[in-house]
Amino acid sequence: MKCIIFTLSILWHTSMLSQYSNYYSNIYIGQQKTSQSKVDVNANISQNVNANLNISGNIVEQKHITTIDYGALELANAQREKNRLEQQIYADRREKEIADAIAQDPLKAFEYGYPYSYCMKDFKKQDKNTAKEMTKQTGIKDFCIHYVIPNNKLFSIVGSGKYQNVSSDGVITELIFFTPNFYKDESMDLEREMGFENEIVGKENEFEYQNKKFKYFVHMKDLRRADVFGTFGFKGTLITEDKYEIGITDHYKSTYNSSGKGYISYVSIVYKGDKKEVTFEQLEGRRYYFRNLIQKIIATGFVDKIKY
């Protein structure tokens, strides 16, 4: 009887996992393997850049992360942006030239972006009660945050500190800036936090939100060094899937400390889409297309006039 129960549990578990993609299965099976397969992926991009690119700029779906052609994906994304931007109406020729430049090289969205500064004192003038609550939550009485908003031909403002791009094939990219948070030096292990040690790769995980529990499958996680708001920090990546969406989230964090007091700078980049409409390869392609722009924006941001 025990053998039957054990067999049934295996069948149930296999059936449960079959609803999720196997796109990353060769790289992560319960634990991280070496990154050699990732290195090999880009070895021959220049030779195969047009292998999967057709006239319409669409990508022939790959079956696994190790077979992805980043060069072809980058060209396809550039073509999609060009097609999207060509449908818009511009005030003059100069605006059209800027749009074309941004489509071919997203980093131009930084060059043609908008320097942005926001201080807590400004928020206090608008809403004292909310500002007071924010101070309570963050532990910071005052601060100013500065960064470049990418050109609106590429990203639209969809909320406070939140910018969004939606590709023609349904991939949603969100750039989200968070207010700095106070921390005490002795209580912070940023590397450990950004490694997401509690997230189990190859299994369903669970989180609670507004007294409801939600399940999601973790395909992969990664940890790398990153320059975040002018300070050495980390980029922690989670690649996940639930019954509705697939997503790649890059979490960027750094800490600044002086005399035992400090603050955390945090920015997240989300690439996501309806799992019935987009694939992980499309998310990876979008991520690769935006990589230089995102790195530039996050590295050049900074916080000043901090008061605890």
Side-chain angles (χ1 to χ4, degrees):
M1 184 62 182
K2 290 183 179 179
C3 292
I4 295 175
I5 294 174
F6 179 70
T7 302
L8 288 176
S9 67
I10 292 177
L11 291 174
W12 176 83
H13 185 67
T14 303
S15 175
M16 179 190 73
L17 296 184
S18 67
Q19 65 181 301
Y20 298 116
S21 168
N22 64 352
Y23 191 69
Y24 298 94
S25 59
N26 285 1
I27 294 179
Y28 282 75
I29 305 177
Q31 60 181 353
Q32 185 173 1
K33 293 186 177 181
T34 65
S35 59
Q36 184 62 45
S37 58
K38 288 186 179 179
V39 176
D40 293 340
V41 169
N42 294 308
N44 297 312
I45 283 181
S46 59
Q47 299 178 13
N48 301 315
V49 69
N50 293 314
N52 297 315
L53 183 65
N54 61 29
I55 296 176
S56 65
N58 293 321
I59 292 294
V60 177
E61 184 176 356
Q62 301 289 341
K63 294 182 179 180
H64 203 274
I65 183 65
T66 55
T67 61
I68 195 171
D69 188 334
Y70 287 104
L73 287 168
E74 185 171 28
L75 287 178
N77 275 280
Q79 185 62 50
R80 289 193 186 95
E81 282 301 318
K82 183 178 180 180
N83 293 342
R84 181 181 69 83
L85 292 173
E86 282 180 346
Q87 296 175 7
Q88 299 184 17
I89 299 175
Y90 300 102
D92 53 40
R93 183 176 178 179
R94 176 59 176 163
E95 286 294 304
K96 178 65 167 59
E97 290 175 349
I98 291 174
D100 288 342
I102 289 174
Q104 292 301 318
D105 181 6
L107 187 55
K108 294 290 184 180
F110 180 89
E111 181 180 334
Y112 297 114
Y114 318 99
Y116 175 78
S117 297
Y118 182 79
C119 299
M120 175 68 88
K121 65 179 183 180
D122 299 325
F123 190 64
K124 288 178 180 177
K125 293 178 182 178
Q126 300 173 13
D127 191 338
K128 290 184 178 180
N129 292 331
T130 303
K132 186 177 180 180
E133 182 62 28
M134 186 182 296
T135 295
K136 182 179 179 181
Q137 292 178 3
T138 63
I140 297 176
K141 295 178 180 179
D142 203 2
F143 68 88
C144 288
I145 185 170
H146 313 268
Y147 55 85
V148 172
I149 300 173
N151 190 279
N152 57 14
K153 294 176 182 59
L154 208 57
F155 280 84
S156 301
I157 299 174
V158 293
S160 179
K162 187 175 182 179
Y163 309 91
Q164 186 183 83
N165 171 282
V166 182
S167 69
S168 60
D169 59 345
V171 176
I172 299 170
T173 303
E174 293 179 340
L175 171 59
I176 307 168
F177 292 87
F178 295 84
T179 57
N181 273 259
F182 170 80
Y183 84 99
K184 290 184 178 181
D185 190 34
E186 65 270 15
S187 65
M188 171 60 65
D189 185 344
L190 188 62
E191 182 175 5
R192 182 176 180 180
E193 177 184 330
M194 297 301 286
F196 299 107
E197 63 178 19
N198 293 326
E199 302 286 343
I200 304 175
V201 175
K203 293 184 178 181
E204 277 193 325
N205 292 252
E206 188 175 81
F207 74 97
E208 188 171 323
Y209 178 69
Q210 294 183 343
N211 298 321
K212 292 184 179 180
K213 292 184 178 181
F214 299 88
K215 292 183 178 181
Y216 60 99
F217 186 88
V218 177
H219 288 283
M220 175 179 168
K221 57 183 179 181
D222 189 34
L223 178 64
R224 303 191 181 197
R225 273 286 190 185
D227 191 354
V228 184
F229 273 46
T231 305
F232 283 118
F234 293 95
K235 179 178 77 170
T237 300
L238 282 176
I239 300 179
T240 61
E241 177 178 358
D242 60 25
K243 61 181 180 180
Y244 301 109
E245 291 183 325
I246 57 175
I248 301 175
T249 303
D250 290 323
H251 302 266
Y252 291 82
K253 279 188 180 183
S254 67
T255 58
Y256 177 83
N257 182 271
S258 178
S259 302
K261 292 183 179 181
Y263 62 86
I264 302 168
S265 295
Y266 174 34
V267 185
S268 70
I269 317 297
V270 182
Y271 308 88
K272 64 182 181 179
D274 188 314
K275 64 188 295 182
K276 293 182 180 179
E277 299 178 1
V278 303
T279 66
F280 275 113
E281 180 167 271
Q282 288 171 292
L283 300 189
E284 290 282 0
R286 207 63 176 164
R287 186 184 184 211
Y288 188 78
Y289 176 66
F290 283 133
R291 71 195 186 286
N292 292 329
L293 171 63
I294 297 302
Q295 178 179 327
K296 186 78 170 181
I297 290 173
I298 293 176
T300 56
F302 64 97
V303 174
D304 63 6
K305 300 180 181 178
I306 196 98
K307 292 181 180 180
Y308 303 104

